[in-house]
Amino acid sequence: MPNKVSQIIRSHKKILLVIPLLICLVYAPLSAKENKFSSWQADSPQIQFEKEGVDDQIGLGRVFVPMMTKSELEPSYDIYQNGDVVKQNCHTGRSVFLKPGNYTIKLGSSEISKYLIKKQITIKEQETIILPVTWTSLVVRIIDKNRNFMRQPYEIYFLEDYNASIGMEYSADEDEPDERQQTWLLPAGFYKLIKYGESPKTFVNFSTVQLGQGKLTVLTIVMDRDANVFVGSGILPEMSKKLKAKHWTRYTSLDASFNLTSNNATEESDHVYSANFIANPENNFKLDKFPYYFNSDQELSLGWNKESNQDLRVNTNSLKANAQFIYYLIESLGVYSRVRFEGAILPENYYFDSTQDSVIRIHADGTSDTLYQIDKVEIDPAIFPVNFEEGFGLSLRILNDPSRDLKLNSGFGLSQEINDDVFEQSSNIKSIFNELENVNLSGIEASLSGDFQVTNNLTYTVDFYTLYPLDKDRNQSYRFENSLSLRLTSIFSLDYALNLEKGESKDWLVQKHNLSLNLTFISF
């Protein structure tokens, strides 16, 4: 009896050991299958096909090419038979019905044949082919250091082939309504991304990335907005998560720095020091859910400087806030309203090089103040000057595709410039300061902004704003900025900028031209 009991126990132990093994054998392939598509924004191919829910067609078969992101963000593909195109501009994530026979599918983001993905398929009646994903996908997002999105041109090269560009593209400014990053479909491998206009062999303004077969990669490039150069790049999980649909977004940041320097280069016992402190908190709220779009930014910049034999001075002092709301009547046309505020927090002084016997401040009402034996004078009180702008009207997205973007806003605009106790130094006598007048304008406002990839080596950007005042005593003001960038060869590029500006302060049209021929030659 004890032997039978021990045999039963041993057999049960074997069963208990086998059960976990069977569970692992059953669920491991399922888990691996799910992990295979975990980088995708879209569902797995089988789920995509089932969700499409399109019935078979009599006498035809079909092919289904899966999408990794969204169909409208991925390039279309063509289907050939015996060398002739039989289906053009087919979309990923959608079934394509074909007569029985042999076909060739060509898909990809490049116009160069060797970088296209080519697949041979055989279509049979009433059968479906879900094309295995052997290619790779890439999404490029360009942001500044405060994580604000930027619309910037860039190029992609295969890392071992600098002779021909795979393609040029603009990143999307996702802070703007209905802006989405395009998806590259490429063969798996190593790639180099460069700032448009740089040599493909450049050692600056570039990033490299390895793209794995069947994977979606989200590459983030960080740019210095002022210098317009790359300052960082890489795969950031938090940026990949943001590809998922999310209507409300919020971003808050605080940049602060303190710098202290000291030296005795002039005299051994005389240590000259300088201390700087800068703080820059920023906040952003955004709603992007059709037909509603709302974007609000608030930014505060404060900075102080202290040097030997000087008092504490303010060197950065601004508060900015703006909000824009658009209600879209249709996908490309909406009604907008906007509010903008710009002011200061702290009072500001003008500092003289030496003590002045007298300084005169002349107020707008004709009265004046005379100050004696001073080396500084207050020219801006706290809060002022204050600038308000309000506007409402129609917003029209004329063009919106990867190579062209053009947006027009037009409506009624108002602006108020409040200059209470705000003074400006006289251009003739340095010891006289005149109070600036308050300016109130209202009229018709219009803005036009866009960028165009004219050819694969030529881009053009334009930004125009004007306010036509209803007050006949006021002049129309406008700002017109243009820039052309032409890549002549892999080592030569030509840039030209023309900026025109007309405002209240000058009677003439201010013109600024800038022409530059750039040479970059690297031998290796």
Side-chain angles (χ1 to χ4, degrees), residues 34-179:
E34 286 186 6
N35 290 335
K36 184 179 179 181
F37 309 113
S38 61
S39 66
W40 292 20
Q41 181 186 357
D43 296 317
S44 65
Q46 186 62 41
I47 294 176
Q48 288 182 42
F49 176 70
E50 292 172 358
K51 283 185 175 181
E52 185 190 30
V54 177
D55 295 332
D56 291 338
Q57 296 183 12
I58 297 174
L60 302 176
R62 75 167 112 182
V63 62
F64 184 87
V65 178
M67 58 184 174
M68 292 194 199
T69 54
K70 293 183 178 180
S71 180
E72 63 270 21
L73 302 178
E74 298 185 355
S76 58
Y77 62 92
D78 299 330
I79 301 177
Y80 294 77
Q81 188 176 47
N82 300 323
D84 297 323
V85 180
V86 294
K87 293 281 187 179
Q88 282 185 302
N89 299 322
C90 303
H91 295 283
T92 57
R94 302 177 191 174
S95 294
V96 176
F97 291 91
L98 299 164
K99 295 178 181 178
N102 297 319
Y103 298 89
T104 300
I105 293 177
K106 294 183 181 180
L107 77 157
S109 298
S110 178
E111 296 181 0
I112 303 174
S113 178
K114 64 180 178 180
Y115 293 121
L116 292 176
I117 297 95
K118 303 177 182 69
K119 293 290 183 180
Q120 309 291 332
I121 59 171
T122 299
I123 295 293
K124 296 180 180 180
E125 186 177 341
Q126 302 297 305
E127 288 190 4
T128 295
I129 295 176
I130 298 179
L131 200 67
V133 179
T134 58
W135 57 93
T136 185
S137 290
L138 173 67
V139 172
V140 180
R141 314 178 89 180
I142 299 181
I143 60 174
D144 63 17
K145 64 178 184 178
N146 293 325
R147 303 186 192 182
N148 298 310
F149 287 95
M150 301 175 64
R151 183 173 170 85
Q152 291 287 327
Y154 63 92
E155 281 186 287
I156 295 185
Y157 286 83
F158 192 68
L159 199 56
E160 297 179 357
D161 181 9
Y162 291 152
N163 295 321
S165 169
I166 290 176
M168 174 265 186
E169 181 65 273
Y170 275 91
S171 62
D173 181 357
E174 296 183 43
D175 295 324
E176 291 293 318
D178 200 34
E179 283 280 330

Side-chain angles (χ1 to χ4, degrees), residues 192-207:
K192 183 176 183 179
L193 287 81
I194 64 172
K195 179 176 174 285
Y196 182 75
E198 293 283 357
S199 164
K201 293 183 179 181
T202 182
F203 271 29
V204 295
N205 291 318
F206 79 95
S207 177

